[in-house]
Amino acid sequence: MIRKIIHINDDLCNGCGACAAACHEGAIGMVNGKAKLLREDYCDGLGDCLPACPTGAITFEEREAPAYNEAAVLESKKKKEESKAGKLPCGCPGTHAKAIARAACPAPAAAPQAPAGSQLRQWPVQIKLVPVNAPYFNGAHLLIAADCTAYAYGNFHQEFIRNRITLIGCPKLDEGDYTEKLTQIIARNDIKSVTIVRMEVPCCGGIENAAKRALQQSGKFIPWQVVTISTDGRKLD
């Protein structure tokens, strides 16, 4: 049948996951850091997801699609309710609550060691606030990190911030996309390498995808790597 259904522009999607959380029917999911219409018969065509999208990646289109299957949607909701004990109602995996067990810290020694100092080399660090051109970008090894990574990974300063210029952001909470700003920074400065550090949750794919697009659009061939941190603070790759 011909009916109104959503269309997701893959190029505009920043992977924030807001549309998946707003879709009450469960028609939208995150795949490789991008929002996808997983079940056409789950989409009711009402567009609750449209105002949730910060980049305008979601629009309506009229085309051939299976009819909205309300019975299947209700059954799917029932199964999800039965399986999400201990989790928040939001559909984003990054908001699911869990406790992380840690071994008890030993009692402090008689002469405690001084805490490790900060390795931060510049200010500001937020992607939205940092200037496109700054002296510290000259010859810089660039760190583009999701802001939660510094809290999750205990040795973040020594292992990632040290000897790098740091840019942080959160694609789920910040408005807009980072691609244009990062492209300008990489294209206009002598950047030697790029390290992208993200969390394992799907919405963090937004910062990885923005950095990759910026590298491509800059027209430069620069060494780069992606490191993923688990929600319990481990390096996954």
Side-chain angles (χ1 to χ4, degrees):
M1 65 180 294
I2 303 295
R3 70 181 185 94
K4 187 166 65 173
I5 196 167
I6 66 161
H7 170 73
I8 303 174
N9 187 320
D10 194 63
D11 292 332
L12 294 179
C13 176
N14 68 358
C16 70
C19 59
C23 180
H24 303 300
E25 284 69 36
I28 302 174
M30 304 303 295
V31 179
N32 296 326
K34 293 281 189 175
K36 302 292 182 184
L37 180 58
L38 302 179
R39 290 283 301 260
E40 292 184 347
D41 60 333
Y42 281 18
C43 178
D44 60 8
L46 297 178
D48 288 342
C49 53
L50 269 70
C53 179
T55 64
I58 303 177
T59 55
F60 279 125
E61 62 179 357
E62 287 195 6
R63 61 174 175 83
E64 183 73 30
Y68 172 59
N69 191 338
E70 184 178 10
V73 170
L74 293 175
E75 180 63 24
S76 176
K77 286 182 178 181
K78 180 180 178 182
K79 290 180 179 179
K80 287 180 180 179
E81 289 295 328
E82 292 172 350
S83 65
K84 71 177 183 180
K87 298 180 181 179
L88 296 179
C90 173
C92 174
T95 64
H96 291 171
K98 69 175 181 180
I100 300 172
R102 303 287 188 195
C105 295
Q113 294 181 343
S118 172
Q119 296 295 322
L120 192 64
R121 301 177 65 191
Q122 100 287 346
W123 189 264
V125 296
Q126 226 286 343
I127 296 172
K128 299 288 187 178
L129 301 179
V130 72
V132 170
N133 292 104
Y136 47 72
F137 283 132
N138 185 35
H141 295 275
L142 196 62
L143 170 65
I144 302 172
D147 51 14
C148 290
T149 56
Y151 293 93
Y153 193 68
N155 202 36
F156 194 83
H157 270 253
Q158 294 296 324
E159 194 163 336
F160 293 114
I161 295 181
R162 186 181 182 187
N163 296 326
R164 292 188 177 99
I165 295 301
T166 302
L167 302 180
I168 66 167
C170 177
K172 190 175 182 68
L173 300 181
D174 289 341
E175 293 184 2
D177 186 17
Y178 303 126
T179 303
E180 182 178 353
K181 181 73 169 286
L182 293 175
T183 300
Q184 293 179 25
I185 290 173
I186 295 171
R188 297 185 186 182
N189 297 281
D190 181 24
I191 304 298
K192 298 300 185 184
S193 70
V194 174
T195 297
I196 305 159
V197 185
R198 55 164 292 182
M199 298 298 296
E200 64 177 325
V201 296
C203 56
C204 242
I207 200 165
E208 177 182 345
N209 292 329
K212 288 180 178 178
R213 287 195 298 268
L215 285 163
Q216 293 171 347
Q217 295 175 17
S218 72
K220 295 183 176 181
F221 295 96
I222 299 173
W224 61 276
Q225 63 173 326
V226 178
V227 180
T228 303
I229 306 297
S230 70
T231 54
D232 60 358
R234 296 173 291 111
K235 280 200 301 185
L236 299 180
D237 44 30

